[in-house]
Amino acid sequence: MTFVLKTFGSLQLVDRGGNVVSFPEKGLLLLAYLLTADQGSADRSTLARFLWGEADKGVALSTLRKVISRINARQAELGVALISLHGNLVSLERSSLSSDLLLPGKEADAEPLLRLEHVVRLMNQPFLGPVNCHSREFQRWLAERESSHIEILVHTLRAASGLARSRKESELLKNAAVILFQTEPKDPETLKMLIPIFQAEEEVELLRNHFEKRHNSILRGIAVRDGSVGNDGRSMHPAAPPKERLEAGLSLEAETTRLEIPRLVLLLPRNQSSRPEAGFLAASLVEDITIGFCAFNSLQVIAPHSVVQIGHHTETQKAFFERQRVNYILDTRISNVGDEVTLFAQLIFFDQNQILWAERFSLDHMELLKDRRAVARQIALSVSSEIERHEALREDLNPVAYHRYLVGRRHLARLTLPNLRRARKEMKAALSVSPDFAPALSSVARTYSKEWLLTARGDIELLKTAENSSRQAIEKRSDFADGYREFGVAKLLQGAFDESAEAMEVAENLAPHYADVIADYADTLVHCSLPAMALKKIERAIELNPLAPDTYFWTAAGANYALGEFEASLDYISQMADPSLADRLSAASCAMLGRQDKARVFVRRFREANPDFDVDKWLSSVPSKEQWHKDLYREGLKKAGF
C-alpha cells in the first residue's frame, strides 16, 4: 500500500483513499527531509541536528533513537516500511511513499499550464504549516525548499506565459504572478516577464485596485490598545495577521513594487552660498522629500544615507548610478541670487543625460514647506503621474514647526545623549506650534527609545514614553510609516515581540521603499528568533540603501549568526565602517568557528571599553523570543572567553 506525504497546507500522512493517518510529527519531518536528501538517505547525526540542533548531541541522538523506535512500531501497525535502517544510515523506502513536494525536474514533462495549475494550487498554501521544529539546520533546509519552490514557479510560469487561450488560463497566470509578488523575487528577467502577463490581460488596474483594497483594510484594522481611536475613527494598533503571514515576513502590497519601475536619487545640495547654515536646512529638506517618496509603489528612491556617501565620492557617482540602475537624478545646489539664498534643482534623465526640468526655490525657512511641495510635484509629474497624491501630505502644517523639525532631525543623525536631548527639544518646539505634526511626535518617540539603549539602565518609563508618543503619531496620521516603526521599536524593547512585528509590517506596507523601516523590521524579526526572514528583509534594505549605515550590516550579521552562518556573520561585520561596535558578535562567531586566538582579541578589546560586562546579565536584558536563540549567543560568548 502506497502512502502520500502532504507537505503543503499542513504536514500529514494520508493513505490511498485520502484518509489522514496518525504518525509522529518528528517522523513526518524526517520523511520530508529524506525525500529531499541525496539517495533518500542520511546518517543519524545529520538527522539529529536537523530535528533538534546541536545543543546536546548525546541527548539528540538518544531522542532520535526513540523517535525511530516509535516510527518502526507505527510502520508495523500500518503494514508498511516507509524507512529502513542500514547501520548508521536511515533510508527512505521510495516505493512505499509519494509526496506533493515540489522538486526540480519532477513532472517537468507535463503540459505547462497543467503543471502551473498544480504548482499554484500547492503554493497558495503554507509549506509544512505550523510544525514544532526550530533548529538552525531545519531553518536552513526550510529556506532552501522555499527558494526552490520559487525557482520552480518561475520556470513553470515562463513556460506557460504565452499559452493562455481562455479567461480561466489567463486568471491562472495572474494568480501565479501574485504569488511571485509575495515571495520577493530577485531576478530582473522574471520581473520583465510579469509585466506583459498583466498587460496582455488588461489586469494592471484590477491588480492595483486589489492591492489598494488590501492596503486600506490594513489601515482599518489598526487598533488602540486602551480602546481609544483616532479622530478619523480608525484604530491605532494593527490587527494581528495570520501567524503564517507574520512568519513569512513578506508583504503582498510591498511586493508589487518589484516590477520594472523607475529608480530616483535625490542628491544632497552643494552649498555655493555665503551661508553655511543654508546647506544644513536644505539637506534636511531633500532628505525629507526622499523619505516622502518612499511611500509610493510607482517609484523607487535611493535611501538618504547612501546619498550622503555618494556626495562624498563624486568621482564614483556614475558607476554607482549604473550599478544601482538609477533612471532619474535630482541634482541640487545652493547659491546666492542677490541677497537671497536659493536652492537650484534640476531633474536629469540619467540614461540620456537629459535635463527634463529645472527650478529655483527660496530657502527662507518660512517658504520651506511650500517649496518642498513644489519640488515634489514637479518630480512626480516628470517621473510618474501616479504619485501626485503626494501633495496631500502635511496640508495644514505650520512652516515654523516644519523648520524646527528639520533642525531636530539633523541632531538625530548622530546618536549621543546630548544630541538626543537637543533633537527632543526641537521636536517639542515644533509640537508647541503644531501639536498634530506626526513626524515630530514619532521623532520624540525615537529620542526616548534610543536614550533607553544608550543609557542601558533599563528605565521602563523611557520606553513607555516612547510608546505613548508613537501612539499619538499614529492617531494624528494613520498612514504614517514612522509612527508604526517607532511603536514597533518601543514594543520590541519591552519584549512584546508579536506586537512589534505587526506594527513593523504595517510600517513596511505604508512605505515599501523606506530602507530604514525595512531595516528596523529586519532587526525585529531577528529578536523574534526568525533569522531567515530577517535576512531577507535586511538584504532588501541594503538593496535600497547600498551604502548602508553600520546598523544594517550589524543586523545582517546577527541574523547569520542565528542561522549558524558564522563566516557570513563576520563578513557582514567587516563591511561596517566601525566593526568594533560588533566586537561581542565577532568574538562569538570566531569562537564558534574554532578561532580562539582571534576571538580573544575581540574579547580583550571589548573588555577595555566595558570592564564590567557580564554575559548572563546582558542576555537577560536582550529581547529574544526563543530560548535557543539566547543559548546560541551564550554558547559563542562563553567559548570566546567572556
Side-chain angles (χ1 to χ4, degrees):
M1 180 179 186
T2 299
F3 289 81
V4 179
L5 183 69
K6 298 287 187 181
T7 60
F8 286 89
S10 59
L11 183 61
Q12 54 188 210
L13 190 68
V14 300
D15 60 22
R16 190 186 298 273
N19 302 307
V20 176
V21 177
S22 175
F23 208 80
E25 182 184 81
K26 288 293 191 288
L28 295 175
L29 282 172
L30 187 149
L31 293 175
Y33 181 80
L34 291 175
L35 280 164
T36 64
D38 291 340
Q39 309 302 320
S41 300
D43 61 72
R44 291 172 183 260
S45 295
T46 298
L47 294 175
R49 283 197 306 274
F50 172 72
L51 294 173
W52 296 286
E54 300 187 35
D56 191 321
K57 293 182 181 178
V59 171
L61 286 170
S62 174
T63 308
L64 177 63
R65 283 194 295 271
K66 295 175 183 176
V67 168
I68 291 175
S69 177
R70 288 200 299 272
I71 292 174
N72 283 333
R74 185 60 178 140
Q75 289 182 154
E77 292 172 0
L78 295 172
V80 66
L82 301 177
I83 65 168
S84 58
L85 306 179
H86 306 279
N88 194 40
L89 280 182
V90 179
S91 300
L92 185 73
E93 296 295 332
R94 294 186 182 274
S95 61
S96 302
L97 183 71
S98 62
S99 78
D100 63 353
L101 276 169
L102 288 175
L103 299 171
K106 186 178 179 182
E107 300 179 17
D109 296 332
E111 196 277 325
L113 284 168
L114 291 176
R115 169 72 167 152
L116 183 63
E117 183 179 14
H118 174 68
V119 172
V120 167
R121 183 171 65 251
L122 292 178
M123 292 187 65
N124 269 325
Q125 307 169 78
F127 180 59
L128 297 187
V131 294
N132 185 27
C133 189
H134 306 289
S135 73
R136 294 196 306 275
E137 288 295 329
F138 170 75
Q139 289 190 337
R140 187 181 295 112
W141 176 82
L142 183 62
E144 289 172 355
R145 299 310 329 140
E146 291 176 341
S147 177
S148 176
H149 297 163
I150 296 308
E151 290 180 13
I152 290 169
L153 177 62
V154 168
H155 293 318
T156 310
L157 178 57
R158 183 175 284 118
S161 60
L163 303 178
R165 296 293 180 267
S166 67
R167 184 178 183 85
K168 181 180 178 181
E169 291 172 345
S170 298
E171 188 71 16
L172 173 63
L173 294 181
K174 188 195 79 170
N175 290 339
V178 169
I179 293 174
L180 279 186
F181 289 145
Q182 292 175 297
T183 50
E184 205 167 24
K186 299 279 186 183
D187 183 6
E189 294 304 313
T190 298
L191 299 175
K192 290 178 183 177
M193 176 186 67
L194 298 183
I195 296 173
I197 288 176
F198 289 114
Q199 290 177 338
E201 301 305 323
E202 298 181 351
E203 293 286 353
V204 175
E205 191 60 35
L206 178 63
L207 188 66
R208 184 182 295 113
N209 291 338
H210 167 73
F211 289 134
E212 184 66 24
K213 289 176 182 177
R214 290 285 300 273
H215 172 80
N216 290 337
S217 71
I218 287 175
L219 293 182
R220 287 195 299 272
I222 297 164
V224 180
R225 282 284 174 208
D226 298 326
S228 58
V229 294
N231 294 332
D232 59 358
R234 291 175 177 158
S235 54
M236 282 167 36
H237 187 76
K243 185 172 185 293
E244 62 269 18
R245 217 174 139 235
L246 172 60
E247 291 183 338
L250 298 172
S251 159
L252 183 59
E253 294 82 352
E255 294 316 310
T256 64
T257 67
R258 304 308 303 274
L259 292 169
E260 290 288 329
I261 56 178
R263 300 198 89 191
L264 170 70
V265 59
L266 286 77
L267 297 180
L268 295 182
R270 293 162 288 169
N271 192 357
Q272 300 171 342
S273 77
S274 57
R275 287 170 50 186
E277 69 275 10
F280 174 87
L281 289 175
S284 292
L285 172 63
V286 173
E287 183 182 35
D288 194 57
I289 296 171
T290 304
I291 292 173
F293 274 113
C294 289
F296 298 95
N297 288 332
S298 56
L299 190 67
Q300 283 194 357
V301 186
I302 300 295
H305 182 88
S306 287
V307 174
V308 172
Q309 304 304 309
I310 297 167
H312 296 162
H313 302 87
T314 54
E315 70 280 359
T316 62
Q317 281 186 357
K318 186 174 187 295
F320 176 86
F321 295 155
E322 290 173 345
R323 189 167 63 252
Q324 297 302 322
R325 306 186 307 281
V326 168
N327 306 109
Y328 296 91
I329 303 165
L330 182 69
D331 188 27
T332 57
R333 62 179 178 267
I334 304 162
S335 59
N336 288 88
V337 177
D339 295 331
E340 187 180 38
V341 178
T342 64
L343 172 69
F344 177 76
Q346 57 182 0
L347 184 66
I348 301 168
F349 183 49
F350 177 65
D351 296 348
Q352 299 178 8
N353 196 29
Q354 177 185 4
I355 297 175
L356 301 180
W357 160 85
E359 190 73 56
R360 190 177 297 276
F361 305 94
S362 169
L363 282 183
D364 184 304
H365 75 263
M366 298 301 290
E367 301 296 321
L368 278 177
L369 182 65
K370 177 175 71 67
D371 290 342
R372 172 189 175 277
R373 289 173 176 164
V375 172
R377 182 182 303 113
Q378 293 295 341
I379 297 171
L381 291 173
S382 299
V383 180
S384 172
S385 61
E386 295 179 12
I387 57 175
E388 291 181 63
R389 55 183 175 167
H390 183 59
E391 290 311 301
L393 297 178
R394 304 174 188 173
E395 281 292 334
D396 301 318
L397 176 61
N398 185 299
V400 173
Y402 188 62
H403 177 260
R404 299 301 293 266
Y405 163 72
L406 291 180
V407 173
R409 277 275 298 279
R410 302 312 297 178
H411 291 308
L412 277 174
R414 187 166 180 268
L415 293 178
T416 65
L417 283 176
N419 274 5
L420 287 176
R421 286 159 185 168
R422 292 186 191 107
R424 190 179 301 151
K425 179 181 177 182
E426 293 296 336
M427 296 304 172
K428 288 186 175 180
L431 291 168
S432 70
V433 178
S434 184
D436 295 342
F437 186 24
L441 285 166
S442 69
S443 296
V444 167
R446 193 163 192 81
T447 67
Y448 283 111
S449 60
K450 293 301 180 185
E451 181 174 338
W452 185 89
L453 287 169
L454 288 180
T455 56
R457 291 195 298 264
D459 184 357
I460 190 63
E461 286 308 310
L462 290 174
L463 297 181
K464 289 296 184 184
T465 304
E467 180 183 339
N468 290 337
S469 188
S470 60
R471 283 180 184 276
Q472 292 176 50
I474 295 169
E475 181 178 346
K476 300 305 180 186
R477 251 186 54 192
S478 61
D479 62 346
F480 183 52
D482 266 344
Y484 297 102
R485 173 195 182 189
E486 297 307 329
F487 182 85
V489 169
K491 281 296 186 183
L492 174 66
L493 296 177
Q494 294 177 72
F497 301 101
D498 292 342
E499 292 177 67
S500 175
E502 291 162 18
M504 288 298 187
E505 183 181 25
V506 175
E508 186 192 42
N509 289 337
L510 293 174
H513 305 309
Y514 193 168
D516 288 348
V517 165
I518 298 170
D520 277 352
Y521 191 178
D523 185 56
T524 293
L525 290 172
V526 170
H527 290 285
C528 287
S529 302
L530 295 169
M533 311 311 169
L535 194 57
K536 290 182 180 179
K537 290 291 181 190
I538 199 62
E539 286 173 350
R540 171 64 173 153
I542 292 171
E543 179 186 349
L544 289 172
N545 193 357
L547 301 178
D550 282 353
T551 52
Y552 286 35
F553 299 116
W554 199 347
T555 296
N560 273 290
Y561 183 92
L563 288 169
E565 299 292 344
F566 308 116
E567 200 73 68
S569 180
L570 290 169
D571 181 64
Y572 273 111
I573 293 171
S574 72
Q575 297 178 59
M576 295 171 63
D578 184 6
S580 67
L581 294 171
D583 276 351
R584 274 188 309 245
L585 188 56
S586 295
S589 297
C590 285
M592 296 297 279
L593 290 168
R595 302 172 189 168
Q596 294 302 131
D597 290 344
K598 191 71 173 175
R600 280 193 286 270
V601 171
F602 291 119
V603 172
R604 185 163 55 250
R605 188 165 72 180
F606 183 84
R607 286 286 193 197
E608 288 173 3
N610 304 273
D612 298 324
F613 176 72
D614 178 84
V615 171
D616 293 320
K617 182 178 180 182
W618 179 71
L619 283 173
S620 68
S621 66
V622 174
S624 294
K625 188 173 185 181
E626 300 290 346
Q627 187 59 41
W628 68 261
H629 196 173
K630 287 193 176 187
D631 292 343
L632 179 64
Y633 211 163
R634 179 183 287 104
E635 180 185 357
L637 293 172
K638 292 292 188 181
K639 282 184 177 180
F642 278 106

